Amino acid sequence: MTPAIKIGDPFITADAIRQRVKEMALQINQDYTPTGRALSVIIVLKGACFFAIDLLRHLTVSTRLDFLQASSYSGMGSTGEVHLHKDITMPIAGTDVLLVEDIVDTGLTASWLLQHLSSHSPASVRLCSLLDKPRGRRIPAKIDYVGFVIPDEFVLGYGLDYDEAYRNLPAIYVAKPY
Ligand code: XMP
Ligand code: MG
């Protein structure tokens, strides 16, 4: 059984998320509009869904969408191994790719996925993550678009889960073990 947790006040409010997501989208629009090409947006299931969909609503560049699913976490800790549960099915060769993550912690998942996508010979690959937990880093990960840099705490809400629960919360909370 997974241990009980407690959550307090929002750590990042729904308003702050909305504002920041809009700013990130404006930056992405500025960077990719000049290319005149469609952007292949690859969303990492399941955590990044809420963020990615809100971000996409503000994108004015044309986009193509696909999903992949990977995991390196069990409960509140990283297992250190990346498992690919679902791969992309959309061809991305020769296109600009934007990988959308919920959070970069150890950096293992993001760097593994970036390498995996690079093997499909895209024109470019960039990483966009709502959250960055730099204190957790085990391998370097260059994040091109970051929403919020956060301390080394386990967070949930707005897509982030604790054993699949709490994803639907509109804000982000710090979870503490009881
Ligand atoms: P790594 O360590 O590979 O982790 O950079 C990335 C993945 O781990 C999950 N993760 C979290 N999930 N609250 C969560 O709900 C957290 O604080 C947290 N930290 C890492 C997440 O799935 C991410 O894609
Ligand atoms: Mg998770």
Side-chain angles (χ1 to χ4, degrees):
M1 239 196 53
T2 40
I5 52 155
K6 54 177 185 255
I7 58 175
D9 295 330
F11 176 60
I12 307 174
T13 64
D15 270 350
I17 295 171
R18 241 189 316 274
Q19 176 62 33
R20 186 70 190 120
V21 170
K22 206 166 158 182
E23 289 168 4
M24 293 172 84
L26 289 180
Q27 185 64 55
I28 294 167
N29 286 333
Q30 262 181 33
D31 293 351
Y32 287 97
T33 302
T35 69
R37 298 191 295 257
L39 180 63
S40 302
V41 178
I42 310 295
I43 303 168
V44 184
L45 295 169
K46 305 171 191 172
C49 273
F50 288 67
F51 165 50
I53 301 302
D54 285 346
L55 185 77
L56 280 158
R57 288 185 219 274
H58 294 292
L59 292 188
T60 50
V61 284
S62 59
T63 56
R64 310 159 70 235
L65 286 193
D66 204 355
F67 299 86
L68 48 73
Q69 186 169 13
S71 70
S72 66
Y73 251 60
S74 171
M76 277 194 185
S78 177
T79 61
E81 271 174 56
V82 179
H83 297 275
L84 186 67
H85 302 292
K86 185 215 169 293
D87 203 352
I88 53 168
T89 53
M90 176 180 79
I92 56 165
T95 72
D96 296 311
V97 170
L98 185 67
L99 179 67
V100 182
E101 261 284 23
D102 51 359
I103 185 165
V104 177
D105 183 4
T106 63
L108 288 168
T109 310
S111 60
W112 194 96
L113 291 176
L114 287 171
Q115 205 164 2
H116 174 64
L117 293 174
S118 298
S119 73
H120 287 254
S121 309
S124 69
V125 191
R126 281 187 184 173
L127 173 62
C128 172
S129 182
L130 177 66
L131 303 175
D132 178 14
K133 234 198 259 189
R135 294 279 311 270
R137 211 67 103 243
R138 281 199 241 157
I139 55 168
K142 179 177 175 283
I143 314 177
D144 301 282
Y145 306 96
V146 184
F148 300 92
V149 177
I150 63 165
D152 198 7
E153 302 273 7
F154 189 82
V155 291
L156 47 78
Y158 196 63
L160 292 141
D161 70 308
Y162 177 58
D163 279 354
E164 299 304 331
Y166 303 104
R167 291 193 196 275
N168 58 308
L169 297 178
I172 292 171
Y173 297 81
V174 171
K176 297 282 184 195
Y178 257 115

